[in-house]
Amino acid sequence: MVTGAQRYTLDLDVPGAKPCVVRRPPTFGGTVRTVANLAEVRAMPGVLHVVTVPTGVAVVAETFGQAITAKSALRVTWGPGPADQLSDAEVRTRLRAATPPLLVPPLLTPYVDAEFDFAFVSHAPMETNCAVADVRDDRAEIWSGLKSPIVARQTIAAELGLPLDEVTVHVVQAGGSFGRRLFFDAALEAARISRACRRPVKLMWTRVDDTRHGRMRPATHHRIRATHLLGEVLSFEHRVAAAETDFRHGLGEIITATAAHLPLGIGNATLAQTLFHTTVKSPYHFGLTTQALTEVPTGIPTASWRSVYSANTRGAEEIVVDELAAATGKDPYRFRRTFLKTDAQRAVLDKVAAEGNWGRTMEPGCAQGIAFHEEYKSRTACLVEIDTRDPQRVRVTKAVIAVDVGLPVNPRGLEAQMIGGLTDAISTTLRAGLHIDKGLPLEGSYSQFHWAQQRDTPREVRVFVLPATGTEPGGAGELGVPAAVGAVANAWARATGSKPRSFPLDFDVDFTPYPR
């Protein structure tokens, strides 16, 4: 991967496979009604086929350049999609309306109330969605980066009307975005195009396709209330309303994938509630603690994104923990330490406080933030330092992370996971999000979807993997994002004197969107 020798899907040399791209609708899930200039486009240089599929109009050509030129020339009349008029303001209104009321009235006790909004976020992998397909009358062969190859093979066989043993699916190394690749959109789309053209095709989603029509992390709204008295937290309520996360890939095969398509409250929602309640837990002794999820169907394509529910949910909670500490006159680090449940939890928190020199004096506009998270039998704490003196270039300048996974098997791998989680958190907390405007994101590329670049990342990052505290390894892939979200947001709050409530914090449309 480092040297460029790794072969990905579009590097494969499948005999006869010709480049293919798809003209996609101007809104999510729109349909093709008519193509006004079909004959004209078919006559363009290098064009071999122009065919309509459920997802758009596919162009197969001798080169990708010729295919993209022909695709752009198509004049298509589109039918509506399920979210044509949906924009950010309407999404936020729906989510706020769907957020259940808090149950514990503050009565005569002091309390902290907070509400948070998190925007939709692209998976934005380096490798866009792609697949190679060779479909014949009696068999089919597919190549793609897949995380659920069994259900992909079963679904494609059913779609093509072929016996399962006549469909071969090759799992190719994927270039990132593994939650996104639980779905096999490109493999199914390439199979449909190959069948229509009666030839092998090499399908590539362009960067704009992938950013605008790919699946994304759902937007969420959070309502939190914590009551406290005499230095004790009496209750902690968290109500989450989220655009529905799509789990209709099931558990990797056709039976559970079919079950996930059952009506609301039976199928997809069952998987969502199960994942939410098994991953989102408070690590603190905060009295009566409740966390609940309500999902809202929007017609916007979604998929599991790193840390799934925990990134936003626990990130928001860690912000409130800082505000609870302020309300009770306590230091954020000491406050957490008092209420954490176990010595193992306190150990990672103590490690980052010591190694990060928590509480050191900093210049105005600069501050430290700290947060904690526990999930998948692992625990971590994150301390960051932020510089907000230039509002146009807020930067996390330092990060210290401690992680305890029980039994560390690959310490360098753990270090990489935690740095990756930190980068995701810096991105989505400060600048990276999608603006939904009338059924489509405005963003279309990395120049518009503001993921952290090297200049945005800390000059100093230290990751401390604690010695073994158990005999089995815990999880690490999802672990690194939530604590880092909380730490970055808390540092920003202390540096600016403002309460962070809407993410990403800098969410201006500072670009000219590509045409739809």
Side-chain angles (χ1 to χ4, degrees):
M1 295 180 186
V2 173
T3 64
Q6 174 68 50
R7 288 171 63 79
Y8 298 93
T9 299
L10 292 182
D11 296 321
L12 302 179
D13 186 15
V14 176
K18 294 296 184 179
C20 173
V21 294
V22 175
R23 176 70 178 269
R24 301 186 186 280
T27 58
F28 297 122
T31 55
V32 178
R33 283 183 170 167
T34 60
V35 181
N37 59 338
L38 194 58
E40 175 187 330
V41 173
R42 283 176 172 162
M44 291 179 69
V47 173
L48 302 171
H49 304 274
V50 181
V51 297
T52 297
V53 291
T55 46
V57 182
V59 178
V60 181
E62 293 289 353
T63 70
F64 275 114
Q66 291 169 332
I68 291 170
T69 299
K71 178 197 76 166
S72 301
L74 286 165
R75 296 200 302 272
V76 184
T77 301
W78 300 97
D84 280 9
Q85 300 307 312
L86 199 59
S87 298
D88 284 337
E90 174 64 18
V91 170
R92 284 192 290 269
T93 298
R94 288 191 192 183
L95 294 181
R96 289 189 181 116
T99 309
L102 299 166
L103 300 178
V104 177
L107 297 177
L108 300 178
T109 59
Y111 64 96
V112 172
D113 270 9
E115 296 196 36
F116 303 91
D117 290 303
F118 289 81
F120 286 96
V121 174
S122 173
H123 280 80
M126 289 294 291
E127 180 195 40
T128 63
N129 222 12
C130 56
V132 179
D134 183 0
V135 176
R136 310 294 176 92
D137 291 336
D138 58 347
R139 61 179 176 83
E141 199 165 1
I142 315 292
W143 295 259
S144 191
L146 300 166
K147 199 173 178 182
S148 300
I150 296 172
V151 68
R153 178 174 175 243
Q154 292 168 328
T155 304
I156 291 169
E159 171 78 14
L160 299 177
L162 291 173
L164 187 60
D165 58 4
E166 296 301 332
V167 176
T168 301
V169 169
H170 302 279
V171 180
V172 184
Q173 174 69 49
S177 187
F178 304 114
R180 168 70 181 87
R181 296 183 202 279
L182 285 164
F183 288 91
F184 43 91
D185 312 54
L188 179 59
E189 187 174 59
R192 288 168 168 164
I193 296 167
S194 178
R195 176 178 60 179
C197 297
R198 305 183 66 82
R199 72 175 308 144
V201 298
K202 183 179 284 190
L203 170 68
M204 177 183 71
W205 288 37
T206 67
R207 179 66 60 195
V208 176
D209 290 342
D210 214 52
T211 306
R212 286 184 162 175
H213 293 275
R215 295 173 178 271
M216 59 200 73
R217 183 182 82 175
T220 59
H221 181 75
H222 302 254
R223 185 173 294 151
I224 300 175
R225 172 175 293 158
T227 62
H228 60 94
L229 186 66
L230 301 176
E232 292 294 325
V233 180
L234 306 179
S235 65
F236 194 97
E237 290 184 275
H238 190 170
R239 302 290 178 263
V240 183
E244 183 183 62
T245 299
D246 196 343
F247 294 110
R248 290 174 179 85
H249 48 73
L251 303 179
E253 39 59 58
I254 201 72
I255 296 175
T256 54
T258 301
H261 282 79
L262 292 173
L264 188 67
I266 301 174
N268 194 74
T270 301
L271 290 173
Q273 293 293 337
T274 299
L275 186 62
F276 180 84
H277 288 293
T278 54
T279 59
V280 177
K281 299 182 184 299
S282 173
Y284 303 104
H285 286 297
F286 277 171
L288 176 63
T289 299
T290 57
Q291 296 155 312
L293 170 71
T294 300
E295 291 205 310
V296 180
T298 60
I300 295 175
T302 61
S304 299
W305 196 95
R306 194 174 192 177
S307 297
V308 195
Y309 296 108
S310 300
N312 296 356
T313 302
R314 286 285 300 120
E317 290 181 358
E318 287 296 307
I319 298 169
V320 174
V321 172
D322 254 40
E323 295 180 12
L324 268 172
T328 57
K330 303 289 179 61
D331 172 82
Y333 156 57
R334 293 291 174 186
F335 184 82
R336 284 176 171 80
R337 199 180 194 287
T338 298
F339 287 98
L340 283 172
K341 296 176 179 178
T342 69
D343 289 340
Q345 294 171 336
R346 285 184 282 272
V348 293
L349 187 69
D350 290 345
K351 185 67 173 177
V352 297
E355 296 290 347
N357 192 16
W358 171 259
R360 77 181 184 90
T361 301
M362 300 188 69
E363 295 184 25
C366 301
Q368 294 177 315
I370 196 168
F372 176 88
H373 180 61
E374 184 173 61
E375 189 172 352
Y376 295 110
K377 301 182 181 180
S378 300
R379 56 215 55 84
T380 185
C382 179
L383 183 155
V384 304
E385 295 184 357
I386 201 167
D387 184 344
T388 68
R389 289 173 293 183
D390 179 358
Q392 301 304 313
R393 184 53 63 187
V394 173
R395 181 174 184 177
V396 175
T397 57
K398 177 180 177 180
V400 179
I401 299 168
V403 57
D404 170 14
V405 298
L407 178 64
V409 176
N410 178 359
R412 290 303 302 275
L414 283 170
E415 182 181 353
Q417 289 281 15
M418 304 314 292
I419 292 173
L422 172 68
T423 305
D424 291 346
I426 290 171
S427 302
T428 56
T429 303
L430 295 181
R431 298 190 72 208
L434 294 176
H435 293 85
I436 307 300
D437 179 61
K438 295 182 180 178
L440 201 72
L442 295 179
E443 286 76 9
S445 73
Y446 287 133
S447 64
Q448 300 172 346
F449 177 63
H450 295 312
W451 203 254
Q453 300 177 24
Q454 286 187 334
R455 65 182 181 179
D456 303 310
T457 56
R459 299 180 181 91
E460 178 184 352
V461 180
R462 289 185 291 159
V463 179
F464 296 92
V465 178
L466 271 60
T469 57
T471 59
E472 295 181 354
E478 316 282 9
L479 185 67
V481 183
V485 169
V488 172
N490 288 333
W492 183 89
R494 299 178 83 205
T496 63
S498 303
K499 292 184 177 181
R501 290 295 184 263
S502 186
F503 298 93
L505 293 165
D506 180 357
F507 199 35
D508 293 334
V509 180
D510 55 359
F511 56 88
T512 301
Y514 292 106
R516 291 178 181 247

